[in-house]
Amino acid sequence: MHVTGTVPPSAPAPRETPAAHTSAEDPTGNSGRHARRFGLPVATALVMGNIIGGGIFLLPASVAPYGTVSLVAFGVLTLGAIALALVFGRLAERNPSTGGPYVYAREAFGDFAGFLAAWAYWITTWVSNAALAVAAVGYLDVLIPVNGHRWTACLAALALQWLPALANFAGSRYVGAVQVVATVLKFVPLLLVAVGGLFFFDPRNLGPFHEGGGSTIGAVSAAAAILLFSYLGVESAAVSAGEVKDARRNVGRATVIGTTGAALVYLLGTLSVFGTVAHDRLVKSTAPFSDAVNAMFGGSWGGWAVALAALVSMTGCLNGWTLLSAQTPYAAARDGLFPAAFARRRRGVPTFGVAVTVVLASLLTVYNYTSGSAKVFEVLVLVTTFTATVPYLLATAAQIFHLVSGRRERVDRARLVRDAVVAGGAAAFSLWLVAGAGYAAVYQGVLFLFAGVLVYAVMAARRSRAAA
């Protein structure tokens, strides 16, 4: 099926914003041999690597308490994620600039909407890094016991965050190399469980269809809110569009190919884990894929191998998310909406943004371990669920704005109906996720957003004073 295409011949090139600078045009002059633009394979690996990270390796256990109704949530979530992928692909055709949702929101609605998208997405990235590190510790514990002591687990989580940050400081060339290797290696345990687990599938392990009180629809929404974390990264190629070769063509392709491939692995993998690990054991598991392999083949060697591969996968995911965490603030800083320090680049990477992000993620990790919460991963996941929907909604609204405005240079009339249906579905999907995140997550997420409003007020005042 035709996924993306070129802008109609009659359409002029979209207006370039300051965020459109790529690593090849780094204003700091640090575009040397360590900076390299990504082709379609690396862009696809970036999308798949960021989607298939820590989420899939821990989430089967996180959603098991809802029962197998969570598989229905996975199916609905997959359709919504693909709709978002198509929306990002169409938006990137119009404006292939670094920044993704920030660029689209600002172009359509102005500085404040752009800032909110950038701020919310930035929060999503560094909170996600903290959550991924916590998830990775669960698999590290299979190899080296670290979960028995809170501070040992905390230090392990911090180390797993700082190693990818060091790779980012080395330059975008190394980021791409790490991402491709990690993406390839992570498919070994995933495919082993996703495909091999079907041969060991036992329906008696599935547990109840809907466990707990409440309606089935409510359970689907609640499970989907947690599962959204496993699809964060669908926008990866769009956010890094300035680093992608032939971005108008390749961003959309990489986004849809990466999302579809990840969805297939997700659905099969989760189903296999549900069918190989007893339900009462799964709800308490900190390494469900390792438990699945041990149940399939007996012993513990398989679990160790999966745990090692999972750690490689999560490290690669943290590597990609660390890059993305700095790209959106970089684009906003170039437009004067974030502090100017975020616009500093070295070897194709916004190093100041990377440093701030890893420090904030580390502080959040320490806080969550010291707070004594037994559900650290789930708490962090639900916060990112809410904050991620803000840039998703703004980007989708930007697409709807272009479609409704009727401007010939912004709309491919041959695909108007299809684009409108996809954009409407993506918008409804995002709103549904806000509802499913729950009151606590929305409350904490709104506090994060309101803190950003104060930052915007300061930056707007500085711009106004400079222009006077």
Side-chain angles (χ1 to χ4, degrees):
M1 179 175 65
H2 182 65
V3 175
T4 62
T6 58
V7 177
S10 60
R15 174 176 62 85
E16 290 291 319
T17 68
H21 288 270
T22 67
S23 59
E25 301 169 332
D26 191 348
T28 66
N30 293 316
S31 60
R33 63 188 180 89
H34 296 283
R36 179 176 296 175
R37 301 187 75 192
F38 303 149
L40 178 60
V42 174
T44 302
L46 184 65
V47 174
M48 294 193 71
N50 286 350
I51 293 177
I52 304 177
I56 183 59
F57 286 106
L58 190 60
L59 283 177
S62 298
V63 297
Y66 295 101
T68 53
V69 70
S70 56
L71 295 176
V72 177
F74 237 135
V76 176
L77 193 64
T78 297
L79 295 177
I82 292 175
L84 279 174
L86 291 169
V87 168
F88 282 123
R90 295 292 290 129
L91 288 167
E93 286 182 25
R94 298 190 185 97
N95 194 343
S97 304
T98 294
Y102 157 73
V103 172
Y104 312 141
R106 179 172 180 262
E107 183 182 42
F109 309 120
D111 287 348
F112 185 62
F115 173 84
L116 281 181
W119 182 262
Y121 190 75
W122 183 52
I123 291 171
T124 299
T125 55
W126 58 263
V127 175
S128 294
N129 281 359
L132 280 170
V134 170
V137 169
Y139 280 91
L140 179 62
D141 189 62
V142 176
L143 304 172
I144 306 172
V146 293
N147 265 339
H149 190 275
R150 183 184 303 171
W151 283 110
T152 304
C154 182
L155 290 174
L158 293 176
L160 289 166
Q161 292 174 45
W162 279 91
L163 288 175
L166 295 177
N168 274 265
F169 287 135
S172 60
R173 177 179 183 178
Y174 299 103
V175 174
V178 172
Q179 201 63 36
V180 171
V181 172
T183 300
V184 171
L185 290 179
K186 76 177 60 179
F187 275 98
V188 175
L190 288 175
L191 291 178
L192 174 64
V193 175
V195 178
L198 298 178
F199 295 96
F200 295 87
F201 192 90
D202 186 349
R204 292 174 296 180
N205 290 327
L206 292 177
F209 176 73
H210 177 203
E211 185 167 307
S215 67
T216 300
I217 295 178
V220 171
S221 297
I226 294 178
L227 289 169
L228 173 65
F229 182 80
S230 62
Y231 278 105
L232 292 181
V234 64
E235 71 293 330
S236 300
V239 171
S240 298
E243 323 300 330
V244 178
K245 298 176 183 177
D246 191 11
R248 296 187 195 280
R249 181 181 180 88
N250 286 336
V251 166
R253 288 187 170 189
T255 301
V256 175
I257 293 172
T259 303
T260 304
L264 182 61
V265 173
Y266 273 176
L267 290 171
L268 288 177
T270 303
L271 180 63
S272 293
V273 171
F274 274 28
T276 53
V277 181
H279 181 262
D280 58 345
R281 182 182 178 188
L282 182 60
V283 296
K284 301 176 183 178
S285 175
T286 60
F289 274 74
S290 290
D291 290 341
V293 172
N294 287 337
M296 289 160 56
F297 301 109
S300 59
W301 65 269
W304 292 339
V306 169
L308 181 61
L311 281 174
V312 172
S313 169
M314 294 177 185
T315 302
C317 189
L318 281 165
N319 175 69
W321 271 109
T322 301
L323 173 64
L324 291 187
S325 69
Q327 293 286 25
T328 297
Y330 163 77
R334 293 295 307 277
D335 295 333
L337 300 181
F338 260 54
F342 283 92
R344 297 174 187 169
R345 297 179 70 147
R346 185 170 180 265
R347 295 176 174 176
V349 174
T351 50
F352 181 81
V354 169
V356 172
T357 294
V358 72
V359 168
L360 288 174
S362 298
L363 291 175
L364 183 61
T365 301
V366 172
Y367 169 76
N368 276 279
Y369 273 107
T370 56
S371 67
S373 173
K375 296 284 187 178
V376 176
F377 181 77
E378 285 82 354
V379 170
L380 295 176
V381 162
L382 289 174
V383 172
T384 61
T385 296
F386 172 75
T387 56
T389 57
V390 175
Y392 288 173
L393 273 171
L394 287 170
T396 304
Q399 170 72 338
I400 294 173
F401 168 79
H402 293 310
L403 296 175
V404 176
S405 67
R407 294 167 57 189
R408 291 182 177 273
E409 72 274 15
R410 293 291 181 186
V411 178
D412 183 350
R413 294 187 178 278
R415 298 193 296 185
L416 178 60
V417 174
R418 189 183 75 175
D419 286 349
V421 171
V422 170
F429 166 73
S430 298
L431 288 171
W432 173 55
L433 289 172
V434 173
Y439 293 109
V442 172
Y443 169 75
Q444 295 176 49
V446 167
L447 289 178
F448 278 123
L449 288 181
F450 281 2
V453 173
L454 300 178
V455 175
Y456 178 81
V458 173
M459 297 306 301
R462 287 184 176 179
R463 292 199 314 276
S464 178
R465 185 172 57 188

